[in-house]
Amino acid sequence: MPSENDGLMIVLSSPSGAGKTTLVKMLSKIDNYEISISHTTRQPRHNEKNNKDYFFVNKDEFKRLINNQEFLEYAKVFNNYYGTTRTPVIDRLNKGKNVLFDIDWQGADQIKNINLDYKLVTFFILPPSKKVLFERLSNRDMKDKLIAEERMKQFGRDVLHWINYDYVVVNDNLENCYSKITNLINAETSNGSKDYDLEYIRNHVEKLTS
Ligand code: 5GP
């Protein structure tokens, strides 16, 4: 039975290219924070390692995990499947570890809806502008500008989900964004005051979608 000593579930989502994966890695350096490693059917990128960045599996293995009900959540993102297996997450939470989830809005919705007995804090990370986002997407090893353009279109759809998150943080500068997130987590766990301006976020989203 989950108790006060259990860890927190911390979800970070963002449209592709907002810098969320880097932020998750920075947060995982904090004592007692661990990243939930997802399964995916996507091919590894050249700098990615199996069992560290993802568990890279084929579609049959992914289907087997679905059928065995091993996923806490799973979703199809950009034509590939991604999912979080339940057991490693629950084990860590029960040991008091804070678990970080780098997952999309579909996964975040599912985790929210299953209402686990652990405290959940969800963050949606946004880029400072569309221009910066396009530059970030184009600088990836995928080279192909067409993919960047496709992801920009996807951005317009994904950004609409900001409203379902506890907090939206603009990643204009990694260090700033990181400290905003850690301050909000600390405020959540200690019931302290929150430095959070919803009106500013609303305006920012409007600018990104106009
Ligand atoms: P990428 O292929 O760039 O590593 O990830 C693509 C998207 O899939 C990102 O938005 C990432 O957060 C999301 N993602 C990664 N793992 C999971 C997962 O286990 N579940 C869900 N729902 N999304 C995931």
Side-chain angles (χ1 to χ4, degrees):
M1 190 66 189
S3 76
E4 256 181 37
N5 300 323
D6 293 333
L8 281 180
M9 303 175 84
I10 302 157
V11 168
L12 269 81
S13 302
S14 73
S16 184
K20 166 198 50 174
T21 304
T22 311
L23 284 162
V24 169
K25 288 200 172 130
M26 285 166 81
L27 290 163
S28 72
K29 302 275 189 302
I30 306 174
D31 207 27
N32 217 33
Y33 281 56
E34 287 185 11
I35 302 178
S36 158
I37 304 173
S38 298
H39 283 70
T40 183
T41 60
R42 164 167 83 59
Q43 290 298 312
R45 297 190 182 117
H46 77 273
N47 54 343
E48 288 179 327
K49 291 200 172 63
N50 191 24
N51 303 347
K52 184 170 174 284
D53 297 288
Y54 281 106
F55 297 110
F56 294 98
V57 294
N58 61 28
K59 279 197 181 130
D60 285 342
E61 174 60 5
F62 202 93
K63 274 190 203 146
R64 190 190 66 78
L65 293 167
I66 297 175
N67 292 337
N68 280 2
Q69 301 190 336
E70 294 197 32
F71 285 121
L72 203 53
E73 63 75 32
Y74 69 92
K76 194 175 184 190
V77 188
F78 300 127
N79 288 326
N80 291 300
Y81 287 93
Y82 296 82
T84 307
T85 44
R86 179 186 303 265
T87 311
V89 171
I90 303 295
D91 284 352
R92 284 175 182 158
L93 291 168
N94 287 343
K95 285 186 187 136
K97 306 267 183 213
N98 296 330
V99 182
L100 296 158
F101 299 84
D102 173 344
I103 60 176
D104 84 327
W105 63 268
Q106 304 172 82
D109 274 1
Q110 290 172 47
I111 289 194
K112 240 166 95 172
N113 290 335
I114 48 179
N115 258 322
L116 292 172
D117 226 344
Y118 302 90
K119 187 163 174 62
L120 169 67
V121 191
T122 60
F123 292 93
F124 197 62
I125 314 298
L126 287 179
S129 65
K130 278 203 269 198
K131 184 172 174 283
V132 170
L133 177 67
F134 189 74
E135 281 162 14
R136 284 181 191 164
L137 289 174
S138 311
N139 284 339
R140 285 206 171 163
D141 66 336
M142 49 183 95
K143 286 180 194 138
D144 197 341
K145 289 264 190 259
L146 281 176
I147 293 179
E149 275 160 21
E150 195 44 51
R151 291 201 166 194
M152 285 303 285
K153 280 192 205 143
Q154 185 67 38
F155 170 78
R157 297 188 284 267
D158 287 347
V159 75
L160 303 175
H161 298 279
W162 72 277
I163 197 81
N164 295 329
Y165 286 77
D166 296 320
Y167 302 106
V168 179
V169 184
V170 179
N171 184 12
D172 42 6
N173 163 295
L174 267 179
E175 290 299 328
N176 279 349
C177 188
Y178 169 85
S179 55
K180 276 186 204 152
I181 294 171
T182 50
N183 288 343
L184 287 165
I185 294 172
N186 291 339
E188 280 278 345
T189 49
S190 62
N191 279 324
S193 66
K194 288 163 199 157
D195 178 14
Y196 188 64
D197 183 350
L198 187 57
E199 216 29 55
Y200 168 78
I201 295 299
R202 252 181 227 291
N203 290 335
H204 188 72
V205 171
E206 240 175 69
K207 267 190 261 163
L208 288 174
T209 50
S210 62

